[in-house]
Amino acid sequence: MPRPARLSDADAGERLKSLPGWTIAGGKLHRVFQFRDFTEAFGFMARVALLAEKLDHHPDWQNVYNRVTIDLVTHDAGGLTVLDFELAAKASAAAGS
């Protein structure tokens, strides 16, 4: 399957409008999710990991107790692609937001 092309800044900005809570920081889609406790945060990460594997697109992320920070960028495209926005939307749905 061919990898998607990098989106223009204008296209990325337009797509960002449909992702509440997400920002573009340092050329990456960025969001911090907060949960009640570590177990909920880790469960969220497990759900997103399965979704990411299906897309063959993996997040840069960090977990500290009840917070999960996600940064998305398509490294081989040198910027944001439709895959980043698709995974961001799926992560938001997995978090219930």
Side-chain angles (χ1 to χ4, degrees):
M1 166 167 112
R3 301 295 285 178
R6 180 180 177 182
L7 296 170
S8 70
D9 290 345
D11 286 341
E14 193 61 34
R15 289 174 183 269
L16 183 63
K17 293 177 184 177
S18 67
L19 290 173
W22 290 85
T23 61
I24 297 176
K28 299 176 181 182
L29 277 179
H30 174 82
R31 182 161 178 193
V32 177
F33 292 91
Q34 188 160 337
F35 301 92
R36 279 189 303 204
D37 55 28
F38 176 76
T39 302
E40 281 192 13
F42 197 83
F44 165 75
M45 291 180 76
R47 291 188 301 278
V48 173
L50 295 173
L51 297 167
E53 191 64 20
K54 286 181 183 176
L55 288 175
D56 190 26
H57 190 60
H58 305 92
D60 295 332
W61 57 4
Q62 179 183 19
N63 167 241
V64 177
Y65 183 58
N66 67 335
R67 288 185 323 275
V68 177
T69 302
I70 300 179
D71 288 300
L72 299 170
V73 66
T74 305
H75 298 286
D76 56 348
L80 295 172
T81 69
V82 295
L83 285 175
D84 300 301
F85 288 90
E86 187 174 347
L87 185 53
K90 290 178 181 293
S92 292
S97 62

